[in-house]
Amino acid sequence: MTNKSRTHLTTFSDDLLEWAKRHGRHQLPWQNPLTPYRVWVSEIMLQQTQVTTVKAYFIKFMSHFPNLESLANAHIEEVLAVWSGLGYYSRAKNLHKAAKALLEHHDGAFPKTIDALSALPGIGKTTACAISSLSFNQPDAILDGNVKRILCRIYNLHEWPGTAKVQQKLWSLAQSLMPKKDCQQYTQAIMDLGALVCKPKSPLCAQCPVQSWCKSFELGQQATLPIKKPAKPKPTYAIYLLLLFNQKQQLLLEKRPDTGVWAKLWSLPQLNRNQQTNDIFFQEFKTNLEGLKSIKQFKHSFSHYHLDVVLKSIELPESLTKQIVMENRKWVELSALNGIGTPSIVNKCIKFNELSKKKPDPLLANHHY
Ligand code: SF4
């Protein structure tokens, strides 16, 4: 908690509960009456669907299956037909399986421990805690998407909440805020806070009952939280790009394949940098790669990967240029480059080559590529 919060005479849950009495949601279809069966069905429906959509489906579901027995004894086809339109049908199948398991192994009653609830099909830890706190008034904190967002903001947690380590931290923070009594009201209140005030995009901090507990609000960082899933790192491929000139100072260009990056454009000869590079270069250009001058090393990025480019250059003697196979290749005057379809990297490489005549790349000074 923030230093500011330590001076509070109320707790986080006191402030939240007080607000929820007047501003929380008290007319959701599954709240009246609030039974374990109705809480369970609503929680399963809410796993992947918004409250506004769930309301009508919940009422329809209850009119077909008003209690556990009616659901357990129904045919699965009937359950799926009533579920139809909500999507993620495995949820309906699991509801049906769990209803049968509750009748067979728990005498038709919901068990009261988190472990036993979590052992039922389709019930994860947060759903088990929701059933336990909302139906049995037990101090079992939930950790759904709303609560994760609220906690990241309250504690100014700049870590992506998807990792096991951060989840563990969030579970313990969630539990630390859970009061010992009024657990049903608290769980509903924190859900309401996430839905009505601490919204994903624009939190309504001015109306927030727990603003004074909120570290990210205090620091003005709430809009940046929670941290989004980090993008997968792009792979980097190490290549050579070659500036091969003939005796007339013409540059060798190669036509790129019909698909892939720079498709069908005329680009510089390119080789992957690996153990076979020297041999491949010799086969193609009848000279050794070591004879080329290293001009520049630079990174070139595409949407899905990076190229780590080492640019090399040489002026080939006529005896060698005559031996180069010219299929999909041509010699081009530098002045004529603009009239040819080339990727921008060709001009970039030519500029690097010009610059290197004045000032060599210090990164390459001590390297032998
Ligand atoms: Fe969320 Fe703003 Fe309240 Fe912090 S002050 S909990 S960011 S609504």
Side-chain angles (χ1 to χ4, degrees):
M1 278 299 146
T2 66
N3 286 334
K4 197 175 170 187
S5 69
R6 292 200 186 101
T7 65
H8 273 70
L9 297 174
T10 56
T11 62
F12 175 90
S13 60
D14 288 338
D15 291 348
L16 185 57
L17 285 164
E18 193 52 39
W19 166 83
K21 275 183 206 159
R22 281 194 293 135
H23 301 287
R25 297 171 297 181
H26 303 284
Q27 297 304 324
L28 294 168
W30 43 91
Q31 291 177 314
N32 305 298
L34 194 72
T35 67
Y37 174 69
R38 290 164 65 87
V39 166
W40 168 54
V41 172
S42 69
E43 283 298 315
I44 300 295
M45 287 184 168
L46 289 165
Q47 279 172 359
Q48 270 116 346
T49 314
Q50 300 286 321
V51 171
T52 40
T53 310
V54 164
K55 282 181 183 171
Y57 279 95
F58 178 84
I59 292 166
K60 181 178 165 195
F61 197 91
M62 285 300 140
S63 71
H64 280 80
F65 313 114
N67 50 42
L68 193 70
E69 291 74 22
S70 57
L71 176 59
N73 293 329
H75 195 278
I76 182 63
E77 295 304 326
E78 193 188 345
V79 179
L80 291 173
V82 175
W83 191 271
S84 177
L86 256 185
Y88 299 98
Y89 288 85
S90 60
R91 294 185 292 174
K93 291 176 194 163
N94 281 333
L95 271 178
H96 189 235
K97 273 192 223 160
K100 283 183 176 302
L102 284 165
L103 269 198
E104 277 174 33
H105 307 299
H106 297 277
D107 297 327
F110 279 79
K112 291 197 173 168
T113 67
I114 298 302
D115 284 350
L117 283 167
S118 306
L120 291 164
I123 299 188
K125 187 177 170 189
T126 196
T127 305
C129 291
I131 296 169
S132 174
S133 58
L134 289 171
S135 331
F136 305 131
N137 202 27
Q138 291 300 303
D140 292 312
I142 61 163
L143 187 66
D144 64 359
N146 277 330
V147 177
K148 284 181 193 168
R149 180 172 68 253
I150 293 167
L151 293 176
C152 284
R153 289 172 175 168
I154 292 283
Y155 290 96
N156 200 37
L157 210 60
H158 286 258
E159 291 172 282
W160 176 53
T163 64
K165 190 177 140 226
V166 180
Q167 296 250 16
Q168 211 178 354
K169 196 187 285 185
L170 290 171
W171 271 113
S172 108
L173 291 172
Q175 196 58 48
S176 73
L177 295 177
M178 182 92 200
K180 293 281 176 287
K181 58 184 183 79
D182 296 329
C183 306
Q184 181 266 316
Q185 290 86 343
Y186 175 83
T187 294
Q188 187 59 53
I190 201 154
M191 288 175 169
D192 294 350
L193 183 75
L196 306 175
V197 180
C198 196
K199 297 177 179 201
K201 283 205 181 115
S202 311
L204 307 174
C205 302
Q207 303 168 25
C208 181
V210 290
Q211 188 203 78
S212 65
W213 298 90
C214 186
K215 184 81 179 161
S216 72
F217 174 78
E218 191 184 326
L219 299 171
Q221 295 176 2
Q222 68 274 31
T224 64
L225 295 171
I227 294 290
K228 289 198 179 67
K229 187 177 181 177
K232 242 181 159 181
K234 296 182 199 176
T236 297
Y237 301 112
I239 64 160
Y240 286 117
L241 282 178
L242 306 171
L243 288 165
L244 304 177
F245 293 97
N246 64 15
Q247 292 296 305
K248 295 181 202 159
Q249 291 306 304
Q250 293 170 319
L251 180 66
L252 188 68
L253 293 183
E254 280 185 356
K255 183 110 186 238
R256 299 280 307 174
D258 290 350
T259 54
V261 71
W262 303 325
K264 297 183 184 173
L265 296 178
W266 289 91
S267 187
L268 299 175
Q270 173 178 331
L271 292 172
N272 293 330
R273 287 202 325 263
N274 55 37
Q275 286 177 342
Q276 285 82 47
T277 312
N278 282 332
D279 293 344
I280 294 170
F281 184 79
F282 190 84
Q283 279 167 26
E284 291 286 315
F285 302 109
K286 316 300 177 212
T287 185
N288 289 314
L289 193 61
E290 288 86 37
L292 275 70
K293 188 178 161 199
S294 292
I295 304 294
K296 175 102 183 157
Q297 183 167 18
F298 63 96
K299 198 169 171 185
H300 192 84
S301 296
F302 298 97
S303 55
H304 293 95
Y305 64 90
H306 306 287
L307 289 177
D308 170 16
V309 181
V310 169
L311 178 65
K312 281 178 160 288
S313 166
I314 192 171
E315 188 179 314
L316 295 166
E318 202 177 338
S319 56
L320 291 184
T321 55
K322 279 184 179 162
Q323 295 181 56
I324 296 174
V325 178
M326 292 304 289
E327 190 185 339
N328 283 333
R329 287 178 177 150
K330 62 182 174 186
W331 294 103
V332 176
E333 301 284 345
L334 291 186
S335 57
L337 270 179
N338 285 345
I340 299 171
T342 57
S344 61
I345 199 166
V346 173
N347 273 323
K348 188 167 161 179
C349 290
I350 290 167
K351 277 185 194 143
F352 284 145
N353 192 36
E354 293 304 316
L355 281 172
S356 79
K357 290 174 189 165
K358 295 174 199 155
K359 194 175 169 209
D361 182 358
L363 275 180
L364 292 175
N366 298 317
H367 290 77
H368 299 285
Y369 286 99

